């Protein structure tokens, strides 16, 4: 819920900043330079992110930073955790810069990306603390539903969509709990979703 709130607030602020730039050419230049810098350090931010979500669910963490300029600095699992958290937080910036500078896209894939990284980071943190047999893929899947629910104010869509994507309803109770809590937290601060709020402003 808190991560969804972070996503909604920062995405809105950054995109609004870009819309305030009058020159289209300036938007393109600033956006492309900012994105190139982010992609060089965090390659998994490039594209919609489905491949890195799959890599996370299969615990293939090496795929996340294999082309990064900071590859040599990721020396242990704690540094890897920080890298994953940074990627999670910067995806919001990358999505907002892309759309704000004139690119195409939406919030659906980025919200799934942020959710997957959040779930993985939390389960990975528990693993580092010494907890054994943590179902990493389950945490990844459930957190995806939580972010989707919070960003779009659509808990039922999040629950059933993620349940269908994973091909089973074994996680239906955790999905319901996480999606509902996330929705309630964001709803407390933003009565309307990001998209509805913009339509209302127009």
């Amino acid at each position: 819920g808190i991560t969804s709130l972070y996503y909604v607030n920062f995405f809105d602020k950054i995109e609004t900043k870009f819309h305030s730039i009058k020159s289209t050419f300036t938007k393109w230049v600033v956006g492309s330079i900012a994105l190139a810098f982010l992609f060089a350090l965090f390659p998994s931010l490039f594209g919609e992110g489905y491949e890195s979500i799959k890599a996370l669910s299969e615990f293939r963490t090496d795929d996340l930073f294999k082309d990064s300029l900071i590859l040599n600095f990721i020396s242990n699992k704690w540094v890897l955790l920080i890298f994953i958290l940074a990627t999670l937080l910067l995806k919001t910036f990358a999505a907002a810069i892309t759309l704000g500078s004139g690119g195409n896209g939406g919030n659906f894939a980025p919200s799934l990306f942020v959710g997957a990284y959040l779930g993985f980071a939390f389960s990975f943190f528990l693993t580092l603390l010494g907890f054994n047999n943590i179902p990493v893929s389950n945490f990844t899947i459930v957190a995806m539903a939580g972010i989707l629910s919070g960003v779009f104010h659509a808990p039922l869509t999040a629950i059933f969509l993620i349940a269908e994507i994973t091909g089973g309803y074994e996680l239906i109770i955790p999905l319901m709990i996480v999606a509902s809590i996330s929705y309630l937290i964001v709803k407390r601060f933003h009565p309307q979703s990001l998209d509805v709020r913009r339509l209302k402003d127009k």
Side-chain angles (χ1 to χ4, degrees):
I2 293 165
T3 308
S4 298
L5 203 57
Y6 161 82
Y7 185 100
V8 170
N9 287 338
F10 276 88
F11 184 93
D12 196 29
K13 283 178 183 176
I14 295 160
E15 200 180 20
T16 303
K17 287 272 187 192
F18 269 90
H19 287 317
S20 67
I21 300 171
K22 301 298 180 186
S23 168
T24 304
F25 181 74
T26 305
K27 283 183 189 178
W28 293 347
V29 171
V30 172
S32 59
I33 291 170
L35 288 171
F37 177 72
L38 287 175
F39 296 157
L41 298 178
F42 303 91
S44 55
L45 292 176
F46 184 76
E48 75 287 325
Y50 292 125
E51 283 302 315
S52 62
I53 290 172
K54 189 178 178 185
L56 281 180
S57 64
E58 295 171 359
F59 218 95
R60 290 186 285 111
T61 53
D62 291 349
D63 291 357
L64 305 179
F65 55 85
K66 62 182 177 183
D67 299 317
S68 173
L69 292 179
I70 56 174
L71 171 66
N72 296 327
F73 294 97
I74 303 171
S75 54
N76 60 59
K77 289 183 178 179
W78 286 102
V79 177
L80 174 60
L81 177 62
I82 293 167
F83 177 85
I84 289 168
L85 288 170
T87 306
L88 178 165
L89 296 173
L90 289 170
K91 183 62 175 179
T92 306
F93 286 80
I97 291 167
T98 301
L99 295 179
S101 60
N104 293 320
N107 285 312
F108 181 76
S111 65
L112 290 181
F113 181 99
V114 170
Y117 271 69
L118 176 66
F120 181 86
F122 182 72
S123 57
F124 190 51
F125 176 67
L126 293 179
T127 304
L128 292 178
L129 290 180
F131 292 93
N132 297 318
N133 303 317
I134 298 292
V136 174
S137 60
N138 289 358
F139 279 91
T140 304
I141 289 161
V142 171
M144 284 164 67
I147 301 296
L148 201 61
S149 172
V151 170
F152 290 97
H153 285 214
L156 291 176
T157 301
I159 292 163
F160 291 110
L161 181 69
I162 300 301
E164 286 295 324
I165 287 171
T166 55
Y169 286 84
E170 292 87 357
L171 291 173
I172 194 69
I173 301 300
L175 285 170
M176 289 168 68
I177 293 167
V178 172
S180 301
I181 291 171
S182 178
Y183 169 71
L184 290 171
I185 289 172
V186 178
K187 185 86 171 168
R188 168 71 179 78
F189 295 95
H190 297 290
Q192 284 94 26
S193 69
L194 189 61
D195 296 327
V196 171
R197 205 159 71 239
R198 284 178 178 168
L199 285 170
K200 197 174 175 183
D201 291 340
K202 286 182 181 179

